[in-house]
Amino acid sequence: MGGTAVETLRESLRGEVIGPEDAGYDEARTIYNAMIDRRPAVIARCADPTDVRTALRFARDAGMDLTVRCGGHSGPGLCIVDDALVIDLSRMRWVRVDPAKRTALVGGGTQLGDLDHEAYGHGLATPAGIMSTTGVGGLTLGGGHGHLTRAYGLTIDNLLAADVVLADGSTVTASPDEHPDLFWALRGGGGNFGVVTSFRFALHPVKDVGLAVTLWEPEHIGAVLDWYRTFLPAAPNDLNGFFATLRVAPGPPFPEEIHGRRMCGVVWCTTGALDEEGLAKTFAPVVEPAPPAFHFATPIPYPALQAMFDELIPKGLQWYWRGDFFDRITDGAIDVHGTFLENIPTALSTMHLYPVDGAAHDPGREDTAWAYRDAVWSGVIGGISPEASEAEAIRTWAVDYWEALHPHSMGGAYVNFLGADEGGDRVRATYRGHYDRLADVKRTYDPDNVFHHNQNVVPAGS
């Protein structure tokens, strides 16, 4: 893409246009996963929906590939592609809360921390992710699960409407009453259908929550998972807890003697009683499977919980992940987790099982594009390292772990945990019987598959 073309686009936008010759180009093309090193033709930091329409039409007229970047947390780097035009929404980062209606209107480039902060000022929140730097857009379009899922459902269960720039450059609002087919598809169908420039969410009364972290020695993983697989699904919906295998981070609240050691554990969040007696009662059962090596519980502002992992796993690390859905934790799966806990390759590599039951089971299977309403856990295996020299080691560990665990899964995965190298069959498995319906919606709103740098649904009839 020549300099003249870049200048033409620059003159057409209110936002910033960054080309390879510009000083800020290398920073602008960098995303969360440092394993992704790509050089787009141009990056259009759009200031508003008109800029998005202009950039989209420019790319189509020029016959250019197109990608969309919200928060830049795409593990496989689907938001940045060589020689493409990147519609970067990072300047569209704003939140407007209506406390009377308990709703939030959120710009397409907003990060979770922005939404958490503004809603917290009114004693409100909506379920979304576990890291404050994640983009609201990408997380929502994939479904969205986090600390509040068992209490208030998936992020898409709290989506009320979305403003979307379509492939032809037109703008529509998708809601239960307007373009309901598109609204259905946006709730879990990923970035296949357009550029969402704003989201409207329902909010819930949440201010402070109860955080707890419980760790057990590796030899107890079998007993802990046997207990956890029964305990949590039977627990009240105000209690959430994701299971993890990990190496203990070197810092508070962990005592120095366990720093760096391999352990299994649960990160808990409760919206129930937060006084000392209430927290003690809620977490009293953690001693049942085995004596914990560490247990810590405290009230905490919800935005602080959401930002808890930001410093531990910041932007700029090497990442490779694989995921799957599970409706149960089998004895065979427990054996797999035990084996791979023993050979975690780096200090930050980990496996998480996120609960997706409770209130997330209230909507019907056909209500949204999310096809796994019968799943109980969404699992992810993350190979993570600050060193590029360890990229192959973390990828090998994650793939080997996934291959051993996959026979115990439901077959598909949370779309945001799919890798770019897993193929179309995995996308179909993720959408189950919804795939053909999604393909019909795709044919209606993006018949030329302009938005294809994603976990792609091919337009019906293509």
Side-chain angles (χ1 to χ4, degrees), residues 126-131 145-153 209-211 237-242 267-271 302 304-309 354-355:
T126 204
I130 66 163
M131 291 195 65
H145 53 60
H147 296 295
L148 299 178
T149 293
R150 298 191 76 244
Y152 298 117
V209 297
L211 160 70
N237 287 357
D238 63 13
L239 179 64
N240 196 85
F242 71 83
V267 178
W268 307 95
C269 172
T270 178
T271 54
Y302 179 66
L305 172 62
Q306 289 288 83
M308 189 171 72
F309 297 109
Y354 297 106

Side-chain angles (χ1 to χ4, degrees), residues 125-138:
T126 204
I130 66 163
M131 291 195 65
S132 73
T133 56
T134 303
V136 170

Side-chain angles (χ1 to χ4, degrees), residues 418-442:
L418 288 180
D421 56 352
E422 295 188 60
D425 288 346
R426 279 282 280 165
V427 176
R428 282 186 171 272
T430 288
Y431 289 119
R432 286 172 148 177
H434 289 174
Y435 185 91
D436 289 343
R437 181 176 173 185
L438 285 166
D440 287 338
V441 178
K442 180 78 167 179

Side-chain angles (χ1 to χ4, degrees), residues 119-167:
Y120 180 79
H122 301 281
L124 300 168
T126 204
I130 66 163
M131 291 195 65
S132 73
T133 56
T134 303
V136 170
L139 177 122
T140 300
L141 296 175
H145 53 60
H147 296 295
L148 299 178
T149 293
R150 298 191 76 244
Y152 298 117
L154 303 171
T155 309
I156 55 173
D157 300 334
N158 296 276
L159 182 63
L160 302 175
D163 292 323
V164 190
V165 177
L166 300 175

Side-chain angles (χ1 to χ4, degrees), residues 188-212:
N192 276 285
F193 306 99
V195 183
V196 180
T197 57
S198 69
F199 300 83
R200 188 178 297 276
F201 295 106
L203 302 175
H204 304 274
V206 177
K207 196 168 179 68
D208 293 351
V209 297
L211 160 70

